[in-house]
Structure formats: C-alpha cells, structure tokens
Amino acid sequence: MPLTLAVRDRKRSPEPPVAISRAASAVAVAALVALPGCDGIHITFLDPQGPVAAQQRTHFLIILGMMAIIVLPVLVLTPWLAFRYRYGKHNAYKPDWNFSWKWEVLLWGTPAVIVVVLGVFLWRNTIALDPYKPLLTSGPPIRVQAIGYDWKWLFIYPDLGIATVDELAFPVGGQLALDLTSQTVMQAFFVPALGSQIYAMSGMVTHLHLAADAPGRFRGRNTQYNGMDFAQQRFEAVAMRADDFDAWVQKVREAGPLDSRARAILAAQNTAQEAAQNLGVTMPLRFGSVPPDMFVQTSQPVAAAKP
Amino acid sequence: MSRHPGLNLDASHAPAHDQAVTLVFGFWVFMMSDVIVFGLLFATYVAMSDALAGGPGPHDLFELRTVFIETLLLLISSLTIGMASLSMKHERDDARLFIWLGLTFGLGLAFLSYELHDFASMVEKGGVPSRSGWLSAFWALVPLHALHVSAAMLWLVVIAVQVLIFGQDSEVKLGLLRLTVLWHFLDIVWIGIFTIVYLGELG
Amino acid sequence: MTLHQFLDTAFGRLGWDALPFWEIVRHPHDGKAWLNGLIASGAASLVVFGALAVVVMLTRRRWWRSLWSGWLTSVDHKKIGIMYVILALVMLARGLVEATFMRAHQATALNDTGFLTPEHFGEFFTTHGTIMIFFVAMPFLTGLINYVMPLQIGARDVSFPVLNSISLGLTAAGAALVMVSLVLMPFSTGGWSGYPPYTERSFNPGAGPDYWIWAVTLSSLGSTLTGINFSVTVYKERAPGMHFFRMPLFCWTALCTSILMIFAMPPLTVATALLALDRYADFHFFTNDLGGNMMNYANLFWLFGHPEVYILILPAFGVYSEVFTTFSGKTLYGYRALVLATMCIAVLSFGVWMHHFFTMGQSAELNAVFGISTMLIGIPTGVKIFDWMLTMYRGQVRLTVPMIYALGFIMLFVIGGTTGIVLANPSVDYQVHNTLFLVAHFHNMLIPGTLFGMLAGYTMWFPKAFGFRLDEIWGRRAALGWIAGFVLAFFPLYGLGLLGMPRRLHAYVEPAYLPFTVVALVGTLLIVAAFACLCVQLWVSVRDRDHLSVRAGDPWDGRTLEWATSAPPPEYNFPVVPTVESKDPFTHEKLDGKALQSPDDWQDIEMPRNAALGLVLGLVGFLGCFGLVWYMWWLVVLAALAGLGAVIARSFTRNTTKTISADEVRAQYMEWLENVRALPLTVRSQESSRANNGRAMPVMKEQQ
C-alpha cells in the first residue's frame, strides 16, 4: 500500500480499531507529552509532525488496542482467580481437572487470531514505511548526505553545495532524502517527531526519507552509544517555509569552505561546539562550500589502515 | 556382551556400561557444539570471501598440490585410528595397538608439517591475517582446525602412556573411543575446508 | 635485563593509572574527578576489604578445611547449585547498586549536569548489563536447575559431576574478572552487547573491552558445558518409569534451556573470540578498514542473544509451573500443551535474531518476515499464561511468597509481552529502537519473568536445601517491594522511550524527561529496599531456623519427587532410586498411603569423589584471562600450561568414585523416617506458621 494512501486514510476516517484505541489512549498520550517540548522543539512521535511519524503512532495505538484484548482479561482475571479459588473454599475444588478442548481452542485461538491480524498490519506498514522508499508527497526532494562523526552530524546539501553541522533545515512540502554513512563507529540517525531511525555505518550507505507537515523545530540525535559525548550528539531539524529556506541557504553560503583543515577538525573526537571553537568560528557551524565528492569518499570502504 | 557397539567393557559390570553410553553420548553432544563453532567460522569465511581489500587473493596464496597431500594424509589417518580402535575392541595385544596409534600420530604429524609449510609460504607472499578481512577469516578457520589436530595428537599420546601404565582398562577404552570420534570429526571439517576454502576459492 | 624491562614484562600494560583514585591524583582541583574517584575507590575498597573479611572469618572460625572438602572441591550437584545461587545473589547486589547510581545520575542530569563522568556512566551501564545477564540470571537459573532437576527426575547426580564443577569454576572466574575490574580499572563502556567497531582497538585501545571479552568468554564456555551436562542428564539419568511425559515441567524447561545453551553459546564464543583476534592480533573481522564488517558481529551476537533470552526465561516458566500447581493444590492445566509451547519457543527463538537490528537498512520484506516470526513467539507464550491461570481455576490457592511472585509475574509479564509485540513491528520499532522503551521492555521480561521466577524458586526450594523455611513476613515484604519497585522503576522508562529518550544517555536538555527519571529513581530505591528485605529475611530465617525447621522435607505439600526425600537430602539424594508410575508421583504416593515407606531392597551406592579440577580450571581461567587483559604474557602461558597439565593429570586418576554401604544408607534413612513418622500432619492453613514441620497433609485429603 503506497504511503499516500495510508496518509489519506488517516485524514479521512480512522478504521474502527484505530478509533477505539485512539479514544482509549488519548488520555495516556496527553499525560505523557508536554506538547511540544517547553522550548518549542517537538521531541516525540506521539506528537507527530510528519506523515511517517503519524503512521507510526497510529500503528502503535492499533497494536496497543489489539493487545488489550488479551491483557485486560489477564489483569482482571488473575487476581480474581486467586481470590475466588482461595484456600478454604471447599465447594469448587477439582484437583485432577487438567484439560478441556473448549478452553484449548480458545487459548491457542485468541493469540493466534490477534497475531494474524497484527501480522497483516505489520506487513502492510513495514512495506509502506520502508525508510528507503521515497514518500509520495508533492514537492521536490531535498537531498542531504549525513555523515556521523564523533560526536556530531555533518549534513551536506549536494545540490546546493553547502554543509552544516548539527543543523538540518529543509522546506516544508518537500521531503528529506537522506543518504547516511559514518566516518567513525556505528551511529543511528533519528528525528522522532518526523519518522524512522536508521543506522549509519562506516564503509556503507543507508537511506532515509522524512517529511514535515508544517514549519517547526524537531529534536534529532544519534541514538547509538558512541562514547564520551554521545549525549551531546543532538541536533535540530527545522522545517521552514520555502522563502525562509532560501534565505537560510543564502546565509549558509556566506560561511567559510569545508577545507582540509575543517575536515581534520571534524574527524577529531569533539562536539559541534568544540569543533567550531577549534575552527575559530561561532556556532552554528556552517560551510558555504563543500568538496563535491566528500560523501562518496567518506562512505567508500576503507582500504588502508587509519593513522 | 557389550551394549556399546564401539567397545568391549568388563562384561560383569552393568552400571559401567550405562556410564560408558552416557559418556560417549555426552561427547557427541559436545562435538555438536563444536560443529556450531566451525559452522559459524565457515559462514564467516564465505561472508568475507570478497573482502580482499586489495590484498593477495586465493590464486596468489594457495598451493593445491600440498593441500591435496594433506587431505590424503588425514584420510589415511582416519583409517589407521579406526584400526587402532578395532584392535582395542577385540582386545589384541598392546603392540598392535601401539603400531596403529603410532601410525596415526605420524600421519597427523606429517599433516601438520605440510600445513605449517603452507602457512609459512602464505606469510612469505604477504598473506598475513592483518592484511584483509578475507585473510582474517582464513586464519581463524584453518589454524583452528590445525589446533584441534594438535590437541587430538596430544590426547593420543596421553592415551598411549595410559596404556603403558594401566593397560587397556575401561577408561583408556572410552578415551580412545572418544578420540576416534573427534578424529573423524576433524576429518570431516577438513573436507569442508578443502572444498569450501581451497577448491571453492580456486574453482 | 634492566629493572624497567623486568617491570614491563611482569606487569604488562598495568600501571598506576589503573587504580580507581588515579583521576583524583591527576586532577586534584576537579570536583567531579574527586566525586567519581571516591565512588570508584569506595567500590574497590568494598571488593578488597570484603575479600579480606571473608579470609579472616574463614581463618578465625577454622572453616578452611570444611570449605575445601565440603564445597570447593565438592562435585555434588546440590552443593554446586547452592554455590551458583550464592554467586548470583552477590553479583545481584552489585548490579543493583550500579542501577541505583545510573538512575540517580539521570534524575539529576537535566541540562547536561549529573554527578557521574561520561566514562564512569559508560562503565556502569556496561557492567550492569554484563553482570545481570551473565553473572546473575545465568548462574541463578543454572543453580536452581542444578539443585532441583536431578532430584525431580530421581537421579543421584548429574551425568558429569566433575564437568559440573568446571562449569561453576569458569563462571565464577568470569565474575571474579568483573569484580577485579573495580580495583584495576577500567571496564568496557561498550554496553553488554559490546558492538564493534566501538570496541575495536582503534577506538578503545584500553583494557576495558578486554575485560568484557574475557569475562563473557569464560561465562559462555561454562554455560556451554552446563548445557551439555544438563541435557545428557535429562536424557540418561531419569529414574525408572520417569518417561519424558511424566517429567515435571521444570525439567522440560531445563532440557529446552540446556539445548538452547548448546546451540546458542558457541555463536557468542565465536563473536568474542573474533573480536579478541581483531584487538590482539590485528585481524579485520569487524574493523572499519581492510574489509572488516561489523554487521557480521551483529549477526553472530544476536544469533546467541535471542536464544539467550529464552535460556533466561524458560527455567522461570518451569518454576512458575511448579509454583502454580503446588500452591493451587491441583495438577497442571494443559501439561502437554505447555511442553509443546516450550518446545515451540525454543525452536522459534533461532529464527528471530534480526529483530535486534531492523534499523540496519536491510529490505522491508526481510524485516517483515522477521517481525512476524517474532510475533509468532507470542502465541505459545500467551498459551502458557492462560494455562497457569487455568491451573488456579477450581483449585485451593494459597498466597504464599512464591505465589505472590507468580501472580505479579503474570500481570506484569503480559504488559511486557505487549511492548514486545510493539517492538516486533519494524515500522514502530523504527521509533522505539535504541530508546528507553526497549530498555523497559527487556527489563519487563527479565525482572518479572526471570528474576521473580528465580526468587520464587529460591523461596520454594530453600527449605529443601537447608531444612528450614524462609521467614514469611520478610519474604512478603520483599516480594511486594520487588513488584511495586519494578512498576515505579520501569513504567516511566516506557514513557521516556516514547518521548524519544535514547538508552545509555548520560545527559539531556528536555525538561519533559525529568519527572519520569525521578519516579524511576524512587522505584529503583524501592527495589534496593526489597533486596534488603531479602537479606534480612535470610538473616532472620537462619536465626530462627529451629522454629522454621521442616526436616521432614515436604513443607508445601509438594507433588514431585524432590519433596519425597529429607531436607536437606542426603548426598545420594534417594536411599533407593524411586520408581515412577505417574505424573505428580509424590502426590499420588501420599494419597495412596505409599509415602514414607521403608524399602526392603538396600544396595551400596557409588558416588563420585571430590575433585579439585573445577577449582583449578576456574583459577587458571581467571589468571590467564587477567594476564590477557593486562598483556602479562608470562601469566597467560603459565596458566595455559597449568590448565592443560591439570586436565591431563586428571585423566590419569582412576579411583574416582567412593561407595556408601547399604547399611549406612539404611541407618540414615530409618532414623529420619522414625522422626518423621512421629510428627503430626500439617494442614495447609498452618503452612506459613511455625506449626509447619514439613510433614504435609495432602490438601486433596484435607478437602475430602
């Protein structure tokens, strides 16, 4: 099922199990989320800001709803059984009773049916939300090449010839088409409010597609532990109106080039702030020009030992 | 009569038979976990067969002639150790047993010498494990087999010494029986190495 | 050779900087260095002074000899089982302290504050995970199986008693290595899964990952041997008449777990060995360069890692099965279905490993297949839950301590199962992978699942092992504390995960996280209190052991063979090997009036003699691995030679068994029998009172 269909589904009318689980979990979600984070950054898919995250939340709630069919009876019946058949109640005791076909069919049948239903959802959504597949939204894709460093992300805009560190801007209405690799150990790129996470690994390229419904700021980060300043490896993804984005690009173009000195500083173990400091520039760390083959070079399998 | 097909223990002592069966069964289970180790190393080898990283490849490093000789040596040694365990089952004299054990040991030694020669020539041609992922996989798999063969040969010596001290008592018999299992197993692993590592890469 | 060269050879790369207070010496004006140095030094002193105190006590009470011959060199499965459980409880204490530090840190880490340094925090989550999996859960379940399974199948011992003590030696050596890393730092910061390339030499050249590699390797070798031993025992040592389908469910789960160990531990050994080759010999399996590929590690590790989850959970399922039948006074509902479900889980567990890395970028179809295979495991697991509930149905349920754990387990486990299904869906997993949601999920499976099961088993079989019950009041406090503490500590983590908080996070800037981390800290403190209750319970019970005595051996109206023998059982378990005619054999014996009979056919019993091989191999394993960690090559060579020598020397030992004469066995048994026959029968209403003398009136008779 193409994603657009799914998105339209969501907007039209929720399917019955969705409606139930929606209602049931609305309270839980409200309790969980300070909407949005106090500094205006969206941090979670429970407060979805893009079609992928919204789909994921719906799927999540469907699973909770379906599983409630099993969980709720267990939660109620377990204490009830222990109380009803407590020691000393003489009348109901049947010590040798150990089998009943009626029960057996129910015991195996209920979870099996639930797994089959959930399996259908699983298959459809896994194919539909494949992060490698472009989203079928209108507007041109913004290509971004993300390189994971210790402990920051470099975002290269190959079509614009610019690059930023820990700052991922894109126009609303388009979609982010990310190619990812790592210059160091394995990392995971994740913007929860927009959609999926994906690993970035040295010598390999992975792909991810994201989009935002409206302008906004979203927390992004590496979620795969990679040492000392892992916690600092967070960034902001910013969805802008088209003219704001153009203005932003112009501003980035004014910054210095990503030359060999800058590359060496990025390759060292430091945070974005420290890298900016070492380069002698102020945050945010931006580059007005990038060597065109930088991502390809970084994502090549490393043939020789590193120094 | 013996309840275990592989050996003849004290006829009078039933619990000893039960224990023997359990011991040999346990050894088979142990071999099963070893099969997994080798299986995973084979899988790793296959997965890394393209990871040459610009280093020397199979055609530069392997000599099929010596590998073929090694295969023959190991196959014959399986025969001789089989003869050793047969001679023990039929309770022939120690001398006959020693001849077969000695032959097996000699064949194992010859196998290892040829293999060491292979390894040395690979190192000479730059085929060291630190050169590439493929070479790493090779050096983890094939020498581990050689290590197993060496351990089996040490076990064989220990058993021979025990025959000298205790005669062919049931512990010695059970030891040889398990060693035979191990030896045949190493033979099978070697055939895997021969076909997957050597023939597979050169073919 | 100069002195300098000599010291280099002798100590390898071990230097002053390995000492826990070295950071203070290096940065004497840094407050954080002081605080972290003090925490580390405190932990190190606990290890050193704790060890010293034990040595002093053993010497002053002249216990060395009995420790040596009664425990360390004993190959009795019961003694080995008890030692495993002691190891697990000691390591559990450390794991809990680490958890408390991490939670306390995160509760104070808003806006990048917090009191632990990033390195220290990294070591905490790595040792916590490594310890809880390999040195708490594994030894605990191995200990329980060791103690109970041979008794339940009517055997005198496991098939290979000396191998059993070798397994214990290797496991203890691994645990000792983790403990030593407190004194000679650092440990790894790579997490319990030790993913390369982070743990490769190019990124982490220090001793930390090496400690992790060797500790885990030792434990995996020990567990492989355990798996072989247990499975052969179940196949070959069952008493006459104990058909497979008469075995207690605990034995079935023990069998399945052992088979999983045989197949699942080697992948771990291979993964750590290849990582060691990378680090020590410059191989390139998982490096970034020269053709290495870390994805191979992920595959190897989770090929172990997922079956490992079921290694951990199945024995607990076995315990729950015993708890529900015993304390409901009723035969197990759906015995065959439960056996089938156990087998299904064991087989399916090998087909799901890829769900640990849905986010690695493989095709959507592959992810979907592995997602569905993962959900399939939910079916037999659900069936088990219902079977236990139906075992209570129309029973005589007593809310004893094991039963409290079991009820808590059922109710919490279905919630963990739900989140497991959530994680099995790749499209949702893309959102919660690597977050605290995942952490909450597996703790939800491992604490109410495995640990509650182990504690229930500990409470249930303690009287069998020592002849007196554990104090009921403190036991209830502990059980309720664990349940409430678990809920408070881990439900907030679900919330944090849904809010996008990654696992292993040292600091954060999102104020929304703060309330959750504070509640989680409170829950953790409650769990610590529950653990303290367990310690008090043990102390109180030992103090009051005469009042709690159940020497007759059957305090819970047990249904299986282990309750038929005395408490504690004699070395040879049963004076005469029992003949089994049905499931729940002891219940039928009691109802038919065939219990407590004196057999007429007495025979000499042959038992294995003590052996020091397990102790020796554990010791050389520890020393050799310690040498490997610090590059003391002489120690490695010496240890390897000593180990090889010990094994060869052992193969020359011929006199490995001793005989206990029929007269002695009969005398011991008759004396016990006479005492027991003089005791009044205990009805179930007196079960938790001091009137419980271990001679049970069957609840079925009571209700007639």
Side-chain angles (χ1 to χ4, degrees), chain C residues 284-459:
Chain C
H284 291 277
F285 285 107
F286 316 122
T287 54
N288 278 350
D289 56 346
L290 292 170
N293 188 340
M294 65 76 59
M295 292 196 294
N296 288 343
Y297 181 91
N299 277 302
L300 285 172
F301 186 84
W302 292 113
L303 204 53
F304 143 78
H306 204 83
E308 165 74 3
V309 174
Y310 297 98
I311 291 175
L312 298 177
I313 200 74
L314 288 180
F317 284 176
V319 173
Y320 293 126
S321 302
E322 305 299 303
V323 168
F324 277 110
T325 51
T326 306
F327 294 105
S328 303
K330 199 163 154 277
T331 192
L332 194 61
Y333 175 85
Y335 172 84
R336 276 172 189 266
L338 273 166
V339 171
L340 184 68
T342 309
M343 300 294 248
C344 282
I345 292 173
V347 172
L348 284 173
S349 73
F350 280 98
V352 300
W353 79 92
M354 205 170 275
H355 72 212
H356 293 271
F357 42 93
F358 281 148
T359 55
M360 204 174 253
Q362 59 271 33
S363 80
E365 285 79 7
L366 195 63
N367 275 352
V369 167
F370 272 86
I372 288 175
S373 72
T374 304
M375 288 208 302
L376 284 181
I377 294 189
I379 300 176
T381 314
V383 168
K384 285 183 164 232
I385 299 270
F386 294 134
D387 283 351
W388 291 318
M389 289 168 69
L390 283 174
T391 301
M392 287 193 288
Y393 175 67
R394 309 199 77 170
Q396 289 283 325
V397 180
R398 288 105 66 195
L399 270 186
T400 52
V401 174
M403 204 58 188
I404 295 173
Y405 281 118
L407 293 175
F409 151 75
I410 285 198
M411 298 171 71
L412 293 172
F413 199 76
V414 287
I415 293 169
T418 303
T419 57
I421 296 282
V422 168
L423 282 156
N425 283 264
S427 59
V428 186
D429 181 71
Y430 281 129
Q431 272 290 345
V432 285
H433 178 64
N434 262 345
T435 70
L436 285 175
F437 189 88
L438 171 69
V439 173
H441 163 71
F442 67 70
H443 282 86
N444 201 159
M445 302 322 253
L446 291 180
I447 295 178
T450 306
L451 193 66
F452 285 10
M454 294 302 109
L455 291 174
Y458 160 80
T459 316

Side-chain angles (χ1 to χ4, degrees), chain A residues 44 87 93 197 199 234 303, chain C residues 112 290 329 431 433 498 510 702:
Chain A
T44 165
Y87 171 76
Y93 190 37
Q197 65 179 302
Y199 287 159
R234 53 186 168 237
Chain C
D112 295 345
L290 292 170
Q431 272 290 345
H433 178 64
L498 293 175
E510 291 80 0
E702 224 180 274

Side-chain angles (χ1 to χ4, degrees), chain C residues 455-475:
Chain C
L455 291 174
Y458 160 80
T459 316
M460 179 148 120
W461 283 301
F462 185 94
K464 177 51 59 181
F466 296 99
F468 56 94
R469 286 183 303 118
L470 285 166
D471 183 82
E472 191 81 11
I473 303 287
W474 283 102

